[in-house]
Amino acid sequence: MKRKMREQWMTAQAEAGKGSLWEVFAVSLRLGLTSFGGPIAHLGYFREEYVNRRKWLDEASYADLVALCQFIPGPASSQVGISIGMMRAGLLGGVASWLGFTLPSALALLIFAYVIRNYDVTQAGWLHGLMIVSVAVVAQAVWGMARSFIPDRARGSIALVTTIIVLVVPSAFSQLIVIAAAALFGRFYFRRSEDTQTPDHRSYLSKRIAIISWVIFFALLIGLPLLRHQFPATWLAMFDSFFRVGSLVFGGGHVVLPMLQAEVVPMGWVTDTQFLAGYGAAQAVPGPLFTFSAYLGTIMNGWLGALIAVIAMFLPSYLLVAGTLPLWGAIRRRPHFQAALKGIHAAVVGILIAALFHPVWTSTIHTVYDFCLALAAFGLLMLWKLPPWIIVLVSAAGGALISWLQAF
């Protein structure tokens, strides 16, 4: 069995672009150190680096990869990077690409968590300012995604119904139900729309590897909750929670907020204040927002908790990319899948609207000063187009000023 697995890995390496692992890691590490601005900005950085500068793939293949990573759950920008790493240097190339792009922000958030771990965050004005950043960032995400994903009344209605259900029944399970219902509705309602023309897609991995990846993915998704029930160890519970969130989040990094909050706060692992403070800090670092898991893991169980949380959070993305990449060309051309995606995207907007109200707004905006600071941060993001890390610094300073004013 091990010999067959080794042969599969060698075959994948031969089918890839025959680049070195160090080359893939070095390029992705530079991107991980400099890619501010969220997943959309990350895709722009990737296009400039991988398509225009290094010519690792052409425009059509890159567009196809972006479409693939929008289709499957998880952080789209990280999944695009993993895909390009696999195409360049095989399965281990995907690991090298993920490691380089993820390591800088994960380490930064781990350090931040250690700084505030034993700190009374309820008394820190600048930390409250970081929490207020999340209001502006999520509001910006709602605005942008609504413009893209709900262009008509049908999808607008899906988003509104989703918002109401998620707010009235606040659980990760309710989110899964509405996403599945939206996909089913879209599958039948939008099937009359025109088919999208898609570029030809070359398979860079064997179908055998795809099958193995899917088997591992579903074995963990189904088996981890059962193991957690039988063996109630903290590290296993953490791995299960973060793996499940990483497996089921559609729509990018900001949608992970309500699902993670539902997993870690009710368990008493992290307080609401700590959660939102870390989410605000995550806006100030480059790289994928999913490295927020490193912060949460550190708060929960130190550096070991960070390692468990990050691996569990990103492992589904790796398995889903390896399982879908060889099959994506045929899947994407099916009109029924395209129709279902329209319903899913609308539901994702609804989940994001719900997250904007609770826990982001309800846990952060308490006074007129908080609202004014959130409004100013939103204006700097939307009107002045300032980088998120500048908004974070401004909001932290504003939070400290508000705290000082309220003391008098």
Side-chain angles (χ1 to χ4, degrees):
M1 182 64 181
K2 292 183 178 180
R3 183 177 180 181
K4 289 183 178 180
M5 289 291 294
R6 181 177 177 83
E7 290 174 355
Q8 288 297 318
W9 283 59
M10 293 176 64
T11 301
Q13 178 73 30
E15 291 176 349
K18 298 184 180 179
S20 70
L21 295 177
W22 172 251
E23 174 192 36
V24 171
F25 175 78
V27 174
S28 61
L29 178 63
R30 188 168 67 83
L31 288 168
L33 288 167
T34 58
S35 295
F36 290 91
I40 302 302
H42 297 166
L43 296 177
Y45 292 127
F46 286 177
R47 179 180 174 276
E48 179 64 27
E49 185 68 30
Y50 293 129
V51 178
N52 293 339
R53 183 180 177 189
R54 298 187 178 272
K55 312 292 184 185
W56 284 5
L57 68 168
D58 58 26
E59 288 278 8
S61 296
Y62 182 72
D64 207 22
L65 284 181
V66 172
L68 162 64
C69 298
Q70 297 291 342
F71 169 76
I72 58 179
S77 57
S78 294
Q79 289 168 334
V80 169
I82 291 170
S83 300
I84 294 174
M86 288 181 177
M87 292 160 55
R88 185 68 180 173
L91 288 174
L92 286 178
V95 176
S97 180
W98 166 77
L99 189 61
F101 188 58
T102 305
L103 191 59
S105 57
L107 287 176
L109 290 173
L110 182 150
I111 293 170
F112 178 76
Y114 267 114
V115 170
I116 72 164
R117 193 177 180 186
N118 298 315
Y119 189 76
D120 185 5
V121 295
T122 61
Q123 304 300 320
W126 63 273
L127 277 175
H128 186 65
L130 289 183
M131 294 165 61
I132 290 175
V133 172
S134 63
V135 177
V137 171
V138 176
Q140 182 194 38
V142 168
W143 179 267
M145 293 180 68
R147 293 181 63 183
S148 299
F149 293 153
I150 52 174
D152 51 48
R153 283 188 299 181
R155 277 172 276 190
S157 298
I158 292 173
L160 289 177
V161 171
T162 298
T163 302
I164 294 170
I165 293 174
V166 170
L167 286 175
V168 173
V169 189
S171 70
F173 183 72
S174 66
Q175 295 172 26
L176 298 181
I177 293 295
V178 294
I179 287 175
L184 186 62
F185 177 83
R187 155 73 171 76
F188 292 100
Y189 185 85
F190 297 114
R191 63 181 178 179
R192 294 167 294 181
S193 61
E194 295 182 1
D195 294 346
T196 303
Q197 296 297 319
T198 60
D200 292 334
H201 185 270
R202 171 187 164 195
S203 178
Y204 294 89
L205 299 174
S206 70
K207 291 184 178 180
R208 185 182 183 89
I209 287 178
I211 293 172
I212 293 172
S213 298
W214 280 111
V215 169
I216 295 174
F217 172 78
F218 281 110
L220 290 173
L221 186 62
I222 297 171
L224 283 173
L226 299 177
L227 287 174
R228 176 179 179 175
H229 179 72
Q230 293 295 324
F231 306 99
T234 301
W235 70 269
L236 185 58
M238 287 177 58
F239 196 95
D240 171 49
S241 293
F242 283 95
F243 184 89
R244 185 155 21 88
V245 171
S247 302
L248 302 173
V249 172
F250 282 91
H254 298 294
V255 183
V256 79
L257 178 67
M259 295 190 73
L260 272 179
Q261 191 268 351
E263 289 288 335
V264 302
V265 174
M267 292 289 294
W269 289 337
V270 177
T271 66
D272 262 324
T273 303
Q274 289 174 323
F275 185 91
L276 289 173
Y279 185 73
Q283 312 302 318
V285 297
L289 188 60
F290 272 46
T291 52
F292 179 41
S293 57
Y295 165 86
L296 294 175
T298 305
I299 294 292
M300 293 157 64
N301 198 27
W303 67 267
L304 183 59
L307 184 64
I308 292 171
V310 170
I311 291 175
M313 194 75 177
F314 283 94
L315 181 58
S317 295
Y318 184 87
L319 294 173
L320 288 168
V321 167
T324 311
L325 191 59
L327 313 172
W328 176 238
I331 293 174
R332 193 184 176 217
R333 283 190 287 269
R334 295 179 179 270
H336 295 318
F337 278 93
Q338 297 175 18
L341 274 179
K342 292 179 180 179
I344 289 173
H345 288 161
V348 164
V349 175
I351 291 174
L352 204 56
I353 295 172
L356 177 59
F357 176 73
H358 181 77
V360 176
W361 184 280
T362 56
S363 300
T364 305
I365 306 301
H366 304 302
T367 69
V368 66
Y369 299 111
D370 296 339
F371 175 75
C372 290
L373 182 57
L375 190 63
F378 182 74
L380 292 175
L381 278 172
M382 295 293 295
L383 301 178
W384 291 90
K385 310 294 183 184
L386 294 182
W389 65 272
I390 293 180
I391 311 299
V392 167
L393 294 179
V394 170
S395 295
L401 179 61
I402 290 173
S403 179
W404 181 79
L405 290 173
Q406 290 177 334
F408 290 93

